[in-house]
Each structure stands twice: as structure tokens, then as C-alpha cells.
Amino acid sequence: MRGVCGSHTPRRPLRWAVTGAGAVVAAVLTVLALTGTLPFAAAPDAGERKPKAAADPYAPAKALRPAIVGRRQWGADPRLLDQKPRYADSVHAVVIHHTGHFNDYDCAESPGFVRDMYEAHAVGKGWGDLGYNFLVDRCGTVYEGRLGGAGRAVVGAHTLGLNRGTTGIAVIGTYPEGVPVPKPLQKSLAVLIAWKLGLTGIAPTARTRVVSTNRNTRFAEEGSVSVPAVLGHIDAYETSCPGESLVQLLPALRKSAAQVQSKAKVLVKKDGGRTGSKKAKGQARRAPGGHARLGGAGGGA
């Protein structure tokens, strides 16, 4: 008796049926192939890990950003704007100013002061916009000044010859010798300084290098100069700005801002950063023409 296995029934090659269940399977496999899905692919190795994205070295500094009243919030009239933003490579120093307003104002008046200065700078002095990058009132409220982005290295018109690579912060008020600087104002200045310099990795207590672009200052034109990372307007130009009380406060501001950076674990450069390279000098030479000059209150390139 012939067993089943010994059957002489001829073998046929394995073929996909074109009808019935075979057609369904073929259609499914075709769709999977077109979508790139591999139904029988091996599972990934349990020990295999995806590479981590590079950490942002300035993330701690970005987290320090204070609350800032934007231009739209304080009422910047776009019809007065006649200046496109210009940018430096980064911010290497902060320059402190005062605006000359009386000191016993109600802080609710501050937006009006900012609007008045905007018109005076943009139209009256022909600068096309506010000269300062930021303004801070006696209650510690920070206002965005010049257009271009609070977190960017916007070139202002606040310190003749040293506008490129610096941020100008104006204190609303007048601070000659003997006039106390309010604590909320000091605190906001320290955080604002820590944030802006931290975005470049610069310690507020360090010295830094910037390029001078005007010889009618304390520095030679087109020269790389060493300055404190936090300086007063008087350090760059013959002026009484920002007032003796703020000048005397600068060492404490540098220390406070450095402490803010330290608590936030901001990584800073030991040399404070430099812009005195040939590239930076070239950028200064290629910069558009400077703004109208003004003795003690500010000034263009």
C-alpha cells in the first residue's frame, strides 16, 4: 500500500493565487511596501538609544529674561519709525544711562515718558527710532526700546562710538550725587544685565573688547578697546550721564548681575568676550552712516 508520503503525485511550484485570499495578501504587502512599512522587521535592540540633541549652552541665560513691556504695549507709533534694525554679532557690554526726568513720578506715567522720548529721538534728533535698547523706571518695570528684538544684538544710538556690540539701558530719572537709586530699579537692572550678557556668555564683572567707530569719544576710531562689561555712558564720552549715584552703583550692579548668573548656572567666558577681531572691525567699517550726534544724551555710531 502506498503511503501518503510516497505518493507519486507530481509537485507543483509554489505560486501566489491571483484570486481569493492570495489576492488580499498580495494587496496588503504592496501597500506596506509603498508606505515603507516592514511587517516582518526585527524589533530594535533594547539597549540601543537615540542620540541626544546637543544642549543649548545659553539656555540658563535665556531663562533669566525679565518681564519686558513691548513696544506695542507702551504705544510706539509706527508712523514715527524711520530706521530699520541693524545688528551686531552679539552683545559684549552694557552701557548705563539716565534720561533726565524728575524722580518722584508715578510709575503709571512711565509709558508716556517712553513715548515722548521715542518721538524726540526718532523725529527731533533724526535717529529714526529710540536710541536706547531698554528703559527701566523707578518701580523696576523694563520697557523695550529700539526695534529689532529684545533678545537680539540690536545696534542702538545711545553711546557715540560704542553702539555696535553694546546694549544701552536708560534709567528713567535723574541720579546725581546723593540721590538714592530705588531697590526695585537696582534689582531689575541686575537681572536685565545678567540676561543680556549671559546670552553671549559674558560675566558682568569681566572686561571685554568692543570696536570704537567714532574718534570724537574717549577712544580712537576703528580701534579695538577694552572696557568693563558694565559701564556708564561717562566711561565712553565726556558727559555727566548716568549721574554720580549710578556711577557709584556700577560695582554693586556688576556683582549683583554676576550673582544672578551664578545662581542660574550661566556659563561665562573668563575674558568677557572680544569683538576686536578683523571681522568685527570690518563689520564696523561696513556699517551704514551714523546717526545725528548728541553730546551728553546719546549719539550714533
Side-chain angles (χ1 to χ4, degrees), residues 103-273:
N103 292 331
D104 58 347
Y105 57 87
D106 188 323
C107 290
E109 299 177 272
S110 298
F113 294 153
V114 177
R115 288 193 296 271
D116 290 344
M117 283 185 283
Y118 172 44
E119 183 172 4
H121 289 189
V123 180
K125 301 189 183 304
W127 294 348
D129 195 359
L130 257 168
Y132 308 121
N133 298 99
F134 299 95
L135 302 98
V136 186
D137 70 11
R138 68 184 187 88
C139 294
T141 303
V142 179
Y143 294 86
E144 179 184 9
R146 201 167 187 85
L147 181 71
R152 303 184 66 183
V154 180
V155 177
H158 53 86
T159 305
L160 185 67
L162 295 185
N163 286 311
R164 180 168 288 275
T166 65
T167 283
I169 303 175
V171 172
I172 300 177
T174 304
Y175 289 93
E177 187 173 8
V179 176
V181 181
K183 293 296 183 181
L185 171 56
Q186 294 185 39
K187 183 177 180 180
S188 289
L189 284 174
V191 175
L192 185 57
I193 291 168
W195 171 58
K196 286 301 293 186
L197 292 180
L199 293 176
T200 313
I202 293 178
T205 53
R207 292 190 69 84
T208 186
R209 300 196 73 86
V210 294
V211 175
S212 172
T213 60
N214 194 304
R215 66 179 178 273
N216 297 323
T217 66
R218 298 188 187 278
F219 309 107
E221 186 175 4
E222 301 297 350
S224 172
V225 298
S226 174
V227 297
V230 181
L231 65 153
H233 190 187
I234 193 172
D235 295 319
Y237 192 87
E238 190 64 40
T239 175
S240 61
C241 179
E244 187 60 27
S245 287
L246 280 169
V247 169
Q248 293 176 3
L249 185 64
L250 289 178
L253 275 179
R254 296 182 187 115
K255 183 177 180 181
S256 296
Q259 290 173 341
V260 172
Q261 286 188 346
S262 178
K263 290 179 181 178
K265 296 181 170 52
V266 174
L267 182 64
V268 298
K269 300 175 183 177
K270 293 181 180 180
D271 64 353

Side-chain angles (χ1 to χ4, degrees), residues 22 28 31 34 38 54 59 65 67 72 76 80 88-89 112 151 181 192 197 204 216 232 245 266 273-274 293:
V28 171
V31 171
L34 290 175
L38 299 178
R65 176 174 173 145
R72 181 177 296 180
L80 303 180
D89 60 338
V181 181
L192 185 57
L197 292 180
N216 297 323
S245 287
V266 174
R274 305 187 177 211
R293 296 176 185 174

